[in-house]
Amino acid sequence: MNTSSIHPFSGLTPDVVLAALESVGLYSDGRLLALNSYENRVYQIGMEQGPPVVAKFYRPGRWSDAAILEEHAFIQELADREIPAVPALPLGGKGTLHCVDGYRFAVFPRHGGRAPELDDAATLEWLGRFIGRIHAVGMLQPFQSRPVLDIASFGEEPRDYLLAHGFISADLVEAYRSVVAQALDGVRRCYDRAGDVRYLRLHGDCHCGNVLWTDAGPHFVDFDDSRMGPAIQDLWMLLSGERTDMVRQLSDLLAGYEDFCEFDARELHLVEALRTLRLVHYSAWLARRWDDPAFPAAFPWFNTQRYWQDRILELREQVAQMDEPPLWPA
């Protein structure tokens, strides 16, 4: 395994976090709560005056400044259109992206909420309306500095990384190599069946953990994976259960979605393909971050013999799933 001896956040101490806020004119009362985030470091911080804020420290080397600022601009564009997203605060006359001791960070208002009830038809329809509004804005112009969700970046490159860096158990390497090749062939066939679908600016990681629900409805957090891609990417992760369950859920989501944005049914050919790409990408994401002590602590099952056996079985199942007819809403 190729890991470094010092992880990227080794110097991000509580003193550095508080000094970062002071550098943009925010003074803490000393309360500092680490929130659930692995890719970046995110803290809820109490203020001497006013409500707590949330400070997000970006993983060094992951995004360019231009890509982070595009994320901020997209969220602000949504908020300006009264779509419930939480934009970064411009502070100290320095914009929304700041740097202290080599760590880039942004500060956001704190917005609480609970997980949405995805077994409720009205909740799914409301979420569909919300995502449709986001996509109606997302299609107005493309990202220039943020990437595209495609087979190369989410499938081929992660596969190559895993095979090149010694993470897979030696006795399972050939089995993994074979099944991931079959899986990516299946992904390509799905894309061929879908044809030339439209790409737009997305949330990109639209699962229920990134949706907070209040009595006023939903709002999305964590646009860190925002990128260009097909609309279905922001819908399929909200589906779960047996096929009949997913058909019903999809019908509810699209009932709300199409109030604001037309959905191209050809994209349904991509649901299992995108799920397959996410599985490959996720394993490589864990591998790339294994030098960060937060990862072995949070994912102790990664890189065990059982882990890779399960991934091989999972991909075999996906090969079969991708040859099934696509989901069609009732």
Side-chain angles (χ1 to χ4, degrees):
M1 261 180 264
N2 182 20
T3 58
S4 61
S5 58
I6 301 177
H7 69 87
F9 291 109
S10 58
L12 188 61
T13 65
D15 286 344
V16 171
V17 171
L18 298 182
L21 265 69
E22 290 182 8
S23 73
V24 292
L26 297 176
Y27 295 91
S28 170
D29 61 8
R31 292 177 295 161
L32 183 69
L33 174 66
L35 301 180
N36 186 25
S37 177
Y38 299 107
E39 182 64 15
N40 304 297
R41 294 295 185 268
V42 183
Y43 303 93
Q44 178 179 299
I45 303 170
M47 293 285 99
E48 287 183 352
Q49 296 182 344
V53 298
V54 173
K56 175 180 178 180
F57 290 80
Y58 291 89
R59 180 172 291 270
R62 182 171 185 237
W63 294 121
S64 67
D65 287 359
I68 295 173
L69 288 171
E70 266 198 328
E71 171 202 342
H72 292 180
F74 183 37
I75 303 171
Q76 187 63 59
E77 191 177 354
L78 298 175
D80 289 345
R81 287 170 168 79
E82 298 184 347
I83 298 172
V86 184
L89 297 169
L91 296 168
K94 303 175 183 178
T96 57
L97 181 61
H98 315 282
C99 188
V100 65
D101 287 3
Y103 291 105
R104 294 171 299 170
F105 70 98
V107 181
F108 300 81
R110 178 188 174 276
H111 282 254
R114 58 187 183 274
E117 298 178 5
L118 295 183
D119 58 349
D120 178 67
T123 296
L124 287 170
E125 188 171 342
W126 199 337
L127 277 172
R129 289 196 299 270
F130 183 22
I131 297 169
R133 294 177 68 195
I134 292 174
H135 287 183
V137 175
M139 68 176 61
L140 294 178
Q141 60 183 341
F143 282 134
Q144 299 296 328
S145 299
R146 299 187 75 82
V148 175
L149 195 170
D150 57 19
I151 299 171
S153 62
F154 260 60
E156 294 167 352
E157 195 280 334
R159 170 204 61 193
D160 294 344
Y161 183 89
L162 290 169
L163 291 171
H165 287 81
F167 281 92
I168 303 169
S169 304
D171 59 327
L172 296 174
V173 167
E174 289 309 313
Y176 184 83
R177 189 193 308 274
S178 174
V179 74
V180 78
Q182 294 175 51
L184 292 181
D185 283 345
V187 169
R188 296 182 190 98
R189 290 194 299 272
C190 290
Y191 271 76
D192 288 343
R193 288 193 288 268
D196 187 20
V197 299
R198 179 178 57 195
Y199 278 54
L200 63 151
R201 291 177 295 172
L202 304 168
H203 180 280
D205 194 25
C206 188
H207 57 78
C208 62
N210 281 334
V211 183
L212 294 179
W213 197 276
T214 68
D215 292 340
H219 61 273
F220 277 122
V221 295
D222 194 5
F223 280 72
D224 195 63
D225 283 304
S226 188
R227 62 191 65 227
M228 299 293 295
I232 192 66
Q233 170 65 14
D234 279 351
L235 296 168
W236 75 263
M237 276 185 276
L238 298 173
L239 309 177
S240 62
E242 300 296 327
R243 184 181 179 89
T244 54
D245 298 323
M246 291 191 287
V247 167
R248 175 185 54 78
Q249 294 158 6
L250 181 62
S251 297
D252 294 334
L253 283 168
L254 290 180
Y257 183 91
E258 293 199 304
D259 285 346
F260 292 93
C261 196
E262 183 180 358
F263 180 74
D264 184 349
R266 294 179 303 162
E267 294 190 25
L268 296 175
H269 288 287
L270 300 180
V271 170
E272 294 303 329
L274 291 167
R275 192 191 311 276
T276 301
L277 291 176
R278 185 174 176 84
L279 293 172
V280 178
H281 184 269
Y282 183 71
S283 291
W285 175 69
L286 291 173
R288 293 179 197 277
R289 304 297 184 242
W290 207 237
D291 62 331
D292 184 334
F295 278 71
F299 309 101
W301 34 260
F302 173 69
N303 211 35
T304 61
Q305 183 87 358
R306 176 63 181 273
Y307 175 83
W308 293 112
Q309 289 172 339
D310 288 347
R311 299 294 73 74
I312 290 167
L313 176 61
E314 192 172 52
L315 288 174
R316 284 175 179 157
E317 292 172 347
Q318 283 303 114
V319 170
Q321 287 289 336
M322 286 186 286
D323 285 334
E324 292 290 321
L327 296 173
W328 294 106

